[in-house]
Amino acid sequence: MDYRLENINDADFERMVNTICQKILGTGVVEFSRGKDGGRDGKFTGTAQNYPSTQASWTGKFIIQAKHTENYLASCSDNDFEKIADDEIKKIKKLKANGEIDNYLLFTNRKYSGVKGERLLNKIIKETEIENCAIIGKETINNQYLNSNKDIVKQFRLDINHIQFDFSDEEIKDIILAFKCQLPEIKTEIKEEVDKLKQDFTLIDKKEKNKKNRLSERYFNEFIVGESLMDFDKIEKFLYNPLNENLKDYYFDTAYELNQLISLKRDDFDLFEEIFVFIYKIICDGSTPLKGSKRHVMVFLHYMYYECLIGKKTDNDKTR
């Protein structure tokens, strides 16, 4: 579930985080008023009810900090979040010197990236020598805390922002894995095929199409033409291989399903590239089988757009 936490304000996000902490730590959570908080949006003293688990609960003095962003695509791997972490380290050191902290919880509505997120977490632990520390990203907030506490969802009216965007993502995963497996056998003359594809784009008034779909020129040129276009011929050869007839049916079923959902939910997004990233995350997040193949997911989504299977069409759209 995605409750679109970027759509609430900073104050409500802090209040929501403290409310979550009342559930996982205890009703003794103290919420601080907005202003200079000295690295604290909330605090708790005692033994946590069920954090990180009921069997091994942390105990002592807890400091709770909430970091909110309005950027839906923000991640813990962004440079600005590393600066936030550096500022927090300074505050934690002061709190530790005053004997005010044993456990530190940093909540953020950014995506928690495994590699960079863990690196920042380890950096905080190493430089502050804090006993227990956690960075809790939006995936955990959404799936672990909000889904199991619908009263919080209702209290902060998060159901208004929630985007229900369910589709048969397992089918496209099967397609991607089969494509990766067959890729070495797909023989192409890359330069000639890419040149041909670029010429074929003249069949579509791409500027008109992108404008109608609110897809930025920068994204189109940099990511679709610059990175994905060279693989479109391989996708076509893969889909129209007689041995892949079932996979081709999966592909068109998925594209049809996605296009219906995009049409229904289009007003929940601004630029069309946000839709690409949103669908990519649904397919890829937490998917171990797709490791090493995730880049192909975006290429297939771009190919669907190019083939006019997703997104609004122009009057002059022609597919090959």
Side-chain angles (χ1 to χ4, degrees):
M1 296 294 183
D2 186 345
Y3 289 99
R4 297 305 292 264
L5 298 173
E6 72 279 4
N7 290 332
I8 65 176
N9 59 42
D10 293 355
D12 281 345
F13 183 73
E14 290 179 12
R15 289 176 53 234
M16 183 200 74
V17 164
N18 280 313
T19 303
I20 289 172
C21 287
Q22 288 176 352
K23 300 279 188 180
I24 63 176
L25 301 181
T27 56
V29 169
V30 175
E31 182 175 350
F32 293 99
S33 59
R34 288 185 59 77
K36 291 185 177 181
D37 54 33
R40 303 171 299 176
D41 289 319
K43 73 174 184 178
F44 172 82
T45 301
T47 299
Q49 288 184 166
N50 57 352
Y51 190 86
S53 69
T54 53
Q55 290 76 28
S57 294
W58 291 356
T59 187
K61 299 173 182 177
F62 290 75
I63 293 298
I64 304 157
Q65 186 65 289
K67 293 298 179 183
H68 180 258
T69 177
E70 295 180 354
N71 180 7
Y72 172 72
L73 302 178
S75 166
C76 290
S77 63
D78 296 340
N79 290 334
D80 63 329
F81 189 74
E82 184 162 10
K83 293 177 181 177
I84 289 173
D86 288 338
D87 289 340
E88 290 302 302
I89 287 172
K90 297 174 185 176
K91 296 174 183 177
I92 294 170
K93 286 180 177 179
K94 291 181 180 179
L95 291 167
K96 194 170 189 299
N98 294 332
E100 298 181 59
I101 183 171
D102 300 307
N103 311 282
Y104 179 73
L105 298 177
L106 174 59
F107 288 79
T108 178
N109 64 318
R110 297 168 180 267
K111 178 182 177 182
Y112 185 78
S113 52
V115 177
K116 187 68 175 289
E118 289 294 306
R119 188 180 72 76
L120 285 178
L121 177 61
N122 291 330
K123 180 180 181 181
I124 294 172
I125 294 172
K126 181 179 179 180
E127 295 192 16
T128 64
E129 297 181 340
I130 195 74
E131 186 175 337
N132 292 310
C133 180
I135 299 174
I136 300 168
K138 69 176 180 180
E139 300 90 346
T140 301
I141 294 174
N142 280 325
N143 299 325
Q144 188 168 330
Y145 298 134
L146 295 180
N147 280 343
S148 59
N149 292 285
K150 295 299 184 181
D151 55 327
I152 300 178
V153 173
K154 184 176 292 186
Q155 178 182 348
F156 292 94
R157 305 184 70 190
L158 301 174
D159 49 334
I160 295 176
N161 297 321
H162 170 227
I163 296 178
Q164 188 69 34
F165 203 102
D166 298 324
F167 65 97
S168 308
D169 58 303
E170 291 301 321
E171 292 184 352
I172 198 166
K173 289 177 184 177
D174 290 341
I175 296 169
I176 299 299
L177 292 173
F179 177 71
K180 181 188 177 184
C181 183
Q182 296 180 30
L183 197 53
E185 301 173 7
I186 301 175
K187 300 184 183 299
T188 58
E189 294 294 333
I190 298 297
K191 187 177 186 307
E192 292 181 7
E193 293 290 341
V194 171
D195 288 345
K196 181 177 181 298
L197 281 168
K198 286 182 177 179
Q199 291 173 2
D200 286 343
F201 265 101
T202 59
L203 297 175
I204 304 171
D205 187 340
K206 54 185 179 292
K207 288 187 176 180
E208 180 188 344
K209 180 180 177 66
N210 294 341
K211 184 177 181 181
K212 183 171 279 192
N213 285 284
R214 299 205 305 275
L215 181 74
S216 70
E217 183 178 352
R218 183 198 66 81
Y219 185 92
F220 180 80
N221 291 329
E222 184 174 343
F223 295 103
I224 295 183
V225 176
E227 295 184 1
S228 294
L229 185 64
M230 65 181 65
D231 287 327
F232 285 179
D233 61 311
K234 299 174 188 176
I235 292 176
E236 185 169 280
K237 285 179 170 60
F238 166 78
L239 290 175
Y240 289 92
N241 183 334
L243 298 176
N244 295 329
E245 190 67 27
N246 288 340
L247 293 172
K248 184 179 74 172
D249 289 340
Y250 291 167
Y251 168 79
F252 282 109
D253 283 350
T254 301
Y256 177 81
E257 186 178 10
L258 280 176
N259 198 44
Q260 298 299 308
L261 283 169
I262 290 169
S263 178
L264 288 172
K265 300 295 182 180
R266 185 63 187 89
D267 290 341
D268 292 321
F269 302 89
D270 182 14
L271 298 175
F272 199 89
E273 48 259 49
E274 293 179 19
I275 298 176
F276 284 135
V277 175
F278 186 82
I279 297 172
Y280 172 89
K281 288 183 175 182
I282 291 176
I283 296 170
C284 295
D285 280 2
S287 178
T288 300
L290 283 179
K291 284 186 176 179
S293 306
K294 292 182 179 181
R295 63 190 182 280
H296 300 313
V297 173
M298 194 62 83
V299 176
F300 266 83
L301 293 176
H302 290 166
Y303 182 71
M304 288 179 184
Y305 180 86
Y306 159 69
E307 290 286 283
C308 303
L309 295 176
I310 61 174
K312 293 180 180 178
K313 298 181 179 181
T314 69
D315 296 335
N316 299 319
D317 275 344
K318 298 177 183 178
T319 55
R320 293 176 299 153

